[in-house]
Amino acid sequence: MDFLEDKIALVSGGGSGINLEFVKLLNDAGVKVVIADIALHPSAIEWMSSLSTTSAPVEFLSTDVTKWTQLEASFDACVSRFGFVPDIVVPGAGVYEPSSNSFWKDCDSNDESRYKVLDINLVHPIKMTRMAIKRLVEAKKGGAIVHVSSIAGQRSSIVTPLYQVSKHGINSLIRGMAPLEDLVGIKVTGVAPGTVGTPLFTEHPEAAKFLDIAQDYLLPPKEIGLAMMALLTDPKYKSGTVLEVCEVGRWREVALLNDPGPNGPASKTSKKHEALKDILPFLNLDEGKVVKTD
């Protein structure tokens, strides 16, 4: 992948998890990276401190992706630090619904004026995509935008409806932007992983309660990073591709119509039904009420 050397990437959410693994792979390929994230996970700090002086540079910019001015500043940082607009843009920052404000917990509260899950998981990728298109078109150059979706974009859930909505929206955005490759040389794709062993789950008790760590299969984050790298570099993955990853070494393109749905060991969580207990009080129901959920 020598053709990636000296390219510039902007990765929101690159301070941990899936996006950090992708940053590492980009770095191995000689790509200069700006990480735009609210903070760096300790593992990211450790990795960045281990980079040699001959490594491709990796810069961190503290960024709240819900603030459009800060998103714009992340593009400016690529120009000021590396001399040009990013060739690769990854609107990867995301949260899981129970670890932020949620549909159910907000229904009786006026403390929040917005659903942060949607601002982070859906609005920010939409706006960052628009910013990337504008910058690349003005620079008269092609590029790539790689989104981070989820198998939640093929499902529905009464427990995490906002998260599902956000990922359905990302899939639609990826497919809607597919013609950009032919029009202006901008390839738009996205990865749709099953359950991944990242801080999103493992370090948030609200999300971790969906899992039985002893028996549920968690994908290694690097596998998703490898799939993202394939979307970036492999010509068989066309613009508009949503690539499902539910098993190591087995990836599947998700069809728009008549798709069979997620399959593989990382497509199932054994305790999601337990989370129903948290929403029953909002419906004035007791725990004896059984509701089927995916």
Side-chain angles (χ1 to χ4, degrees):
M1 292 183 285
D2 292 342
F3 68 94
L4 287 178
E5 190 169 356
D6 291 328
K7 297 292 188 184
I8 301 166
L10 173 60
V11 183
S12 77
S16 66
I18 291 168
N19 299 295
L20 175 58
E21 293 301 321
F22 188 45
V23 168
K24 292 177 181 179
L25 292 169
L26 290 172
N27 179 258
D28 289 343
V31 178
K32 303 168 185 176
V33 181
V34 170
I35 294 174
D37 207 337
I38 201 73
L40 291 173
H41 190 270
S43 62
I45 296 172
E46 181 181 3
W47 172 72
M48 288 177 66
S49 66
S50 74
L51 294 175
S52 71
T53 55
T54 59
S55 299
V58 179
E59 302 280 348
F60 169 67
L61 180 68
S62 180
T63 306
D64 180 346
V65 298
T66 68
K67 308 295 185 185
W68 290 7
T69 55
Q70 293 188 32
L71 280 181
E72 201 77 66
S74 69
F75 284 87
D76 293 336
C78 290
V79 176
S80 63
R81 298 181 190 189
F82 300 138
F84 215 70
V85 300
D87 307 274
I88 303 158
V89 176
V90 182
V95 294
Y96 199 56
E97 190 166 346
S99 58
S100 184
N101 61 346
S102 73
F103 178 85
W104 293 107
K105 291 183 180 178
D106 282 350
C107 66
D108 297 319
S109 170
N110 293 318
D111 293 339
E112 297 279 356
S113 60
R114 304 181 65 89
Y115 284 122
K116 191 172 289 185
V117 176
L118 296 181
D119 282 343
I120 296 173
N121 288 14
L122 183 58
V123 177
H124 129 256
I126 291 171
K127 185 60 177 177
M128 199 168 177
T129 297
R130 180 67 188 100
M131 289 176 177
I133 294 167
K134 181 175 185 291
R135 298 272 184 142
L136 288 167
V137 168
E138 287 175 348
K140 295 182 171 60
K141 63 181 294 188
I145 302 171
V146 183
H147 287 277
V148 180
S149 186
S150 165
I151 60 171
Q154 303 173 59
R155 290 177 166 171
S156 61
S157 172
I158 194 173
V159 176
T160 55
L162 299 182
Y163 185 75
Q164 314 288 139
V165 164
S166 71
K167 297 307 181 180
H168 277 265
I170 292 300
N171 287 357
S172 181
L173 177 66
I174 293 165
R175 293 181 171 118
M177 294 296 106
L180 285 175
E181 185 169 26
D182 289 336
L183 291 170
V184 287
I186 300 173
K187 182 179 179 181
V188 183
T189 60
V191 68
T195 311
V196 186
T198 69
L200 185 77
F201 276 107
T202 59
E203 296 182 10
H204 288 92
E206 302 93 337
K209 68 186 177 184
F210 291 94
L211 304 172
D212 182 340
I213 299 298
Q215 73 174 39
D216 288 344
Y217 179 78
L218 302 182
L219 284 159
K222 186 175 181 179
E223 183 70 10
I224 317 307
L226 290 169
M228 294 168 74
M229 188 62 82
L231 287 170
L232 180 63
T233 61
D234 193 331
K236 77 178 179 183
Y237 296 122
K238 304 301 182 184
S239 190
T241 296
V242 177
L243 188 63
E244 180 186 295
V245 182
C246 285
E247 189 170 357
V248 172
R250 294 186 64 186
W251 309 336
R252 186 183 73 87
E253 293 186 46
V254 181
L256 173 61
L257 301 175
N258 302 315
D259 189 85
N263 188 30
S267 67
K268 304 171 181 66
T269 53
S270 59
K271 295 177 64 177
K272 194 166 184 179
H273 63 280
E274 292 289 326
L276 280 170
K277 295 177 182 177
D278 292 342
I279 70 172
L280 293 179
F282 296 107
L283 303 173
N284 293 327
L285 296 172
D286 59 36
E287 291 187 9
K289 184 71 173 178
V290 176
V291 181
K292 184 180 183 299
T293 184
D294 292 328

